[in-house]
Amino acid sequence: MTTLLSLRNVWVEFGDKIVLEKINLDVAAGSFVSIVGPSGAGKSSLLRLVLGQEVPTRGTISLDGTVLPPECGPDRGVVFQRYSVFPHLTALQNTMFGLECAQSPLLARLFGAARRAAQEEATAMLEAVGLGDALHLYPAQLSGGMQQRLAIAQALLKRPRILLLDEPFGALDPGIRADMHLLIRRLWREHALTVIMVTHDIREAFSLGTRVLALDKRRHDPHAPHRYGATVVYDLPLRPREDDEAAPAQAEAEQAPPQRFAV
Amino acid sequence: MRWVNRNMRRNDRMIAGALPILALLVVYLVLAAQRHALNPSDKILPLPDAMARGLSALLFQADPLSGHFLFWTDTLASLERLGLGLGLATLGALVAGLVLGVLPPVRATLGPLVTAIAVIPPIALLPILFIALGLGETAKVALIVVGIAPAMIRDITDHIASLPREQIIKAQTLGASSWQIMIRVALPQAMPRLIQAVRLALGPAWVFLISAEAIASDTGLGYRIFLVRRYLSMDVIIPYVAWIALLAIAMDFALSQASRRAFPWAYGASH
């Protein structure tokens, strides 16, 4: 497996507060990396670094061997817990947005045949995530789970090299969350995605991921707790992609007790 | 039952809302009748028939000097100034708000200037406008623009700058440039707020219009009110004020309806 994303000696500091320290990480193409850790351990910071929303204080992040510029780009897609879709656009318009930006730099709108092609592509993607009946609804008319499906469709249409999920299912009901797990697994497999997902839910991390990273502080100074940052304390490879495809039933993987993988 | 829970039905709300207005009218009529009982030629609180007579002269009889029907020329002149002022201020607020709200360097450069202009009382600038632009229409429109635009710019800027960061990030991961974010993400979401800002600016806009007309003009609703004040013509002033109120309410209502029609997503479209 080839390394897609690599972080070399990455530090994040705000003033004298150290958030992340000495992160060295290689993410293989096609892997599904779950990141867990206590609140404030810098899980989301790490994700924002890869996304380009934050810049490391030290160290380099490279995608496919090229150092990433300090801003977001279409090579990295993202789904946040909330506010991932545009409230003023319908589901279809939300999904077409990425195509329109790429093909029409000045107006960011398409007309005629190009528009119909984009609509078809977006519709197909929305059907793939189960929103075929909600093409012309605004996000406010969609449930939380449907909004996240829309956000995923929107991101996938740009065919990002890497898909970043920041607690994407954190605000959903347990039942809906199980549906979303099946969806993201299916999309991950069908589109050969590389996914990094931050989550609070340990079970989710283990049932979805091919690799689980736990972030925490290695050391703790009671007099200056901010002087030590979090880093990767556990790096657990769970199963290679091939094994997963051979795995008997998806439901079983969903039910798998996390203890099985505990170190 | 607690008062916070006493919700009224639609019909009851209409009746309750009409009551104070009716009460005010009755109080006025009683006071006016009392004064007229003592002095039949009282001008301070005219009775409705006197107002009708005063107004009909302006409505239906051409002014012997100019040949105009004054009520209509006044209304037209005032609405033209108000419309121009509001239009320019709205356009300016939208463009400036977008640029300031989306682009941090522009916000850092021009934000303090907008704030500084916003704290100057616009009426204090009126002499400068009259000196610089003359006593014509330009100065009056400029007063309205200077009076309401800074507050609108600040409102739109704040609104756009407070759009969830996630949306701006998401747009970038979908390949949007700064320009595309401005016109496809920020602009549409600023529109309902812009209409809201125009509605709030209507009040101040009328104040600046009437002030400018009172000081230097030869036509307009404000001009007429201040002119006939010299003759204690309350029979003209009161209908004019009521007419101004009616125009303002109509504009406010039209804007609010237009916003609901054009931007249903902003009003929590029903599930």
Side-chain angles (χ1 to χ4, degrees):
Chain A
M1 269 199 265
T2 53
T3 299
L4 180 66
L5 179 80
S6 85
L7 284 76
R8 285 283 158 270
N9 193 28
V10 167
W11 292 65
V12 174
E13 299 169 29
F14 294 112
D16 65 350
K17 179 180 161 61
I18 299 175
V19 179
L20 291 174
E21 60 178 44
K22 214 165 108 186
I23 306 261
N24 283 299
L25 196 62
D26 287 308
V27 174
S31 55
F32 194 127
V33 181
S34 306
I35 300 178
V36 293
S39 296
K43 301 189 294 289
S44 293
S45 265
L46 182 58
L47 199 82
R48 284 197 293 270
L49 279 178
V50 178
L51 181 56
Q53 191 181 350
E54 270 175 31
V55 185
T57 317
R58 265 176 280 168
T60 55
I61 304 174
S62 42
L63 187 69
D64 270 340
T66 7
V67 176
L68 285 174
E71 61 175 358
C72 317
D75 47 355
R76 286 148 291 158
V78 69
V79 174
F80 294 106
Q81 185 173 0
R82 294 175 63 200
Y83 306 122
S84 271
V85 293
F86 304 115
H88 61 290
L89 300 177
T90 62
L92 185 62
Q93 290 168 336
N94 257 299
T95 317
M96 283 168 64
F97 181 82
L99 298 173
E100 291 178 309
C101 282
Q103 296 172 32
S104 168
L106 199 60
L107 293 176
R109 283 181 190 281
L110 295 174
F111 303 97
R115 180 180 173 79
R116 278 192 297 278
Q119 266 172 348
E120 263 167 41
E121 201 179 336
T123 307
M125 183 56 83
L126 283 170
E127 273 162 5
V129 300
L131 286 182
D133 299 327
L135 297 182
H136 302 292
L137 295 183
Y138 287 103
Q141 295 165 297
L142 302 176
S143 67
M146 289 163 88
Q147 288 189 21
Q148 291 307 76
R149 284 169 192 263
L150 174 56
I152 292 169
Q154 203 182 18
L156 285 188
L157 205 63
K158 293 297 284 185
R159 317 230 169 276
R161 302 300 319 275
I162 192 159
L163 180 64
L164 306 168
L165 309 174
D166 193 355
E167 306 206 15
F169 316 127
L172 305 179
D173 299 335
I176 309 276
R177 202 182 296 186
D179 290 345
M180 296 298 287
H181 289 168
L182 291 178
L183 172 74
I184 199 76
R185 276 180 90 76
R186 179 164 61 75
L187 293 171
W188 170 63
R189 211 174 284 146
E190 286 174 6
H191 293 256
L193 296 172
T194 308
V195 178
I196 299 182
M197 177 179 73
V198 164
T199 179
H200 264 117
D201 184 342
I202 307 264
R203 230 178 89 161
E204 178 177 281
F206 279 88
S207 65
L208 287 180
T210 57
R211 177 180 177 190
V212 174
L213 299 177
L215 291 192
D216 205 352
K217 296 186 179 191
R218 274 195 197 284
R219 291 164 292 183
H220 185 77
D221 180 344
H223 301 289
H226 58 279
R227 290 302 290 159
Y228 288 117
T231 189
V232 179
V233 289
Y234 290 111
D235 184 348
L236 314 170
L238 295 183
R239 58 201 158 209
R241 199 182 174 97
E242 292 74 25
D243 286 7
D244 185 76
E245 268 165 306
Q250 221 147 38
E252 217 175 276
E254 293 285 332
Q255 296 303 321
Q259 288 81 358
R260 207 171 81 194
F261 307 105
V263 174
Chain B
M1 197 189 222
R2 288 177 187 81
W3 276 79
V4 290
N5 296 325
R6 292 183 184 227
N7 293 317
M8 296 173 74
R9 275 176 312 194
R10 193 181 157 78
N11 283 350
D12 292 348
R13 276 209 308 274
M14 304 263 268
I15 294 170
L19 275 179
I21 299 173
L22 287 176
L24 202 65
L25 284 177
V26 169
V27 168
Y28 176 84
L29 288 176
V30 169
L31 289 178
Q34 269 180 356
R35 286 185 71 101
H36 279 267
L38 294 172
N39 172 16
S41 59
D42 176 62
K43 297 190 76 173
I44 305 301
L45 295 183
L47 285 167
D49 62 315
M51 289 193 226
R53 256 178 283 123
L55 196 60
S56 70
L58 294 169
L59 269 170
F60 305 119
Q61 292 167 25
D63 177 43
L65 203 63
S66 61
H68 295 311
F69 295 90
L70 290 177
F71 179 83
W72 300 112
T73 45
D74 285 343
T75 303
L76 211 64
S78 286
L79 285 184
E80 194 182 325
R81 289 164 191 151
L82 192 72
L84 265 176
L86 279 172
L88 288 174
T90 307
L91 197 68
L94 182 59
V95 173
L98 267 181
V99 176
L100 288 167
V102 176
L103 308 173
V106 180
R107 183 156 66 239
T109 313
L110 297 179
L113 178 67
V114 173
T115 309
I117 293 175
V119 299
I120 301 172
I123 294 289
L125 293 176
L126 189 55
I128 300 178
L129 294 176
F130 279 149
I131 292 169
L133 305 170
L135 296 175
E137 296 300 298
T138 322
K140 297 185 193 68
V141 173
L143 178 68
I144 297 175
V145 174
V146 171
I148 62 175
M152 291 172 77
I153 293 176
R154 289 178 75 185
D155 188 47
I156 300 301
T157 305
D158 287 353
H159 180 68
I160 293 176
S162 65
L163 287 177
R165 187 79 197 135
E166 286 89 344
Q167 269 187 35
I168 310 295
I169 299 288
K170 180 88 184 195
Q172 293 177 53
T173 64
L174 298 176
S177 62
S178 294
W179 165 250
Q180 288 172 327
I181 290 174
M182 238 190 277
I183 60 164
R184 285 298 311 273
V185 179
L187 173 69
Q189 295 194 67
M191 288 308 289
R193 183 60 170 242
L194 186 71
I195 292 189
Q196 183 71 20
V198 175
R199 288 177 65 193
L200 288 175
L202 274 178
W206 275 103
V207 172
F208 298 127
L209 173 74
I210 305 286
S211 311
E213 289 180 343
I215 292 168
S217 185
D218 51 11
T219 177
L221 297 169
Y223 164 73
R224 194 69 51 201
I225 293 175
F226 276 79
L227 182 75
V228 300
R229 175 195 63 88
R230 297 175 194 167
Y231 317 110
L232 287 182
S233 288
M234 290 288 270
D235 55 339
V236 172
I237 296 177
I238 292 174
Y240 259 61
V241 171
W243 175 236
I244 290 173
L246 206 64
L247 287 175
I249 291 170
M251 286 182 199
D252 188 69
F253 183 74
L255 284 170
S256 120
Q257 288 301 309
S259 180
R260 284 180 170 276
R261 284 273 164 80
F263 315 111
W265 54 267
Y267 295 88
S270 59
H271 276 271

